[in-house]
Amino acid sequence: MALVQLDLPDPVALRGRWAALAAVQAASGHGERCRALRPLWHYDDGHGSWADLHHLDEGRAVLLGQDRNDSETYYAEASDFFEEKETDLLAGAPEWWEPPVRRVRDAELFLGFVYGFDGSAWYRAEYELDDGFTSVGLPVLATALTRGKIVATVQRMPDSEGGRPAYEAIDALIAADGEVDAGLVAAVAPSADWDAEAGAAAARAFLAV
């Protein structure tokens, strides 16, 4: 079965936005929602929907996850659990997609989508169902989405008083591409409850790839 090509950014192109969002989340005390664990970059919305990007060798990567409400694809154990027809998310896929999938299954999590990057383009298995990727709303796919998520995070800080951080400060944080210091983080939201050092450390973790 042929794979379907997708229009998604190169994995490395996501680093600046992912690191900036991780910095803000960590500084606000919610670093578990967006972080780098060496070759694994994680994002979740705090409500059970998530996406993980696994960096592999030779520039390859696997992006997988699930929207807890909108994923209509049921892979492996999920098919039995929900008593739904299975969608084979690895149909036609090369063998190197499987280890990240196995890691998720070993953690007893369900999958809605599995996308593979072969060094030049993204692909997925062929199916017509909504796999939930769009509704997960991975904000690092675009600068505007990342800005919006950062603004929302800052405005939830107890002493933010609803203030919006300057886009210039957010864009500088993104442009640092992981090479972030506490000053860049503090410029986005200089709050008494803001741990800028933790934010900078979270961003620099993305440099390991």
Side-chain angles (χ1 to χ4, degrees), residues 143-177:
T143 297
L145 296 174
T146 306
R147 283 176 181 161
K149 189 67 175 180
I150 288 175
V151 168
T153 301
V154 171
Q155 291 181 325
R156 284 196 297 269
M157 294 294 287
D159 61 353
S160 72
E161 298 181 353
R164 182 179 67 79
Y167 281 159
E168 292 81 3
I170 295 174
D171 290 347
L173 189 61
I174 293 171
D177 198 25

Side-chain angles (χ1 to χ4, degrees), residues 1 8 41 61 80 112 124-125 135 161 180 183 194-195 202 206:
M1 183 177 293
L8 293 173
W41 296 354
D80 294 331
R124 66 162 173 80
S135 49
E161 298 181 353
V180 171
W194 192 253
D195 190 342
F206 286 79

Side-chain angles (χ1 to χ4, degrees), residues 26-135:
S28 71
H30 296 288
E32 73 283 354
R33 296 181 185 173
C34 185
R35 55 184 173 167
L37 301 168
R38 292 206 175 266
L40 167 63
W41 296 354
H42 172 74
Y43 168 79
D44 72 66
D45 65 359
H47 302 288
S49 299
W50 59 278
D52 282 349
L53 177 61
H54 292 255
H55 292 270
L56 307 177
D57 59 359
E58 300 178 4
R60 300 179 300 188
V62 172
L63 175 64
L64 41 67
Q66 183 197 39
D67 185 285
R68 63 172 300 179
N69 297 314
D70 294 332
S71 290
E72 298 175 358
T73 45
Y74 297 90
Y75 176 67
E77 295 84 358
S79 174
D80 294 331
F81 184 86
F82 293 103
E83 298 183 343
E84 296 282 355
K85 182 179 179 181
E86 180 178 5
T87 300
D88 186 356
L89 300 178
L90 297 182
E95 292 183 358
W96 53 267
W97 288 28
E98 201 276 335
V101 170
R102 173 56 59 186
R103 178 173 176 173
V104 172
R105 294 177 66 186
D106 287 347
E108 299 184 348
L109 298 174
F110 296 144
L111 282 169
F113 55 87
V114 180
Y115 300 164
F117 183 78
D118 65 2
S120 59
W122 285 99
Y123 297 91
R124 66 162 173 80
E126 186 175 1
Y127 48 81
E128 300 299 326
L129 297 169
D130 182 354
D131 61 15
F133 175 72
T134 300
S135 49

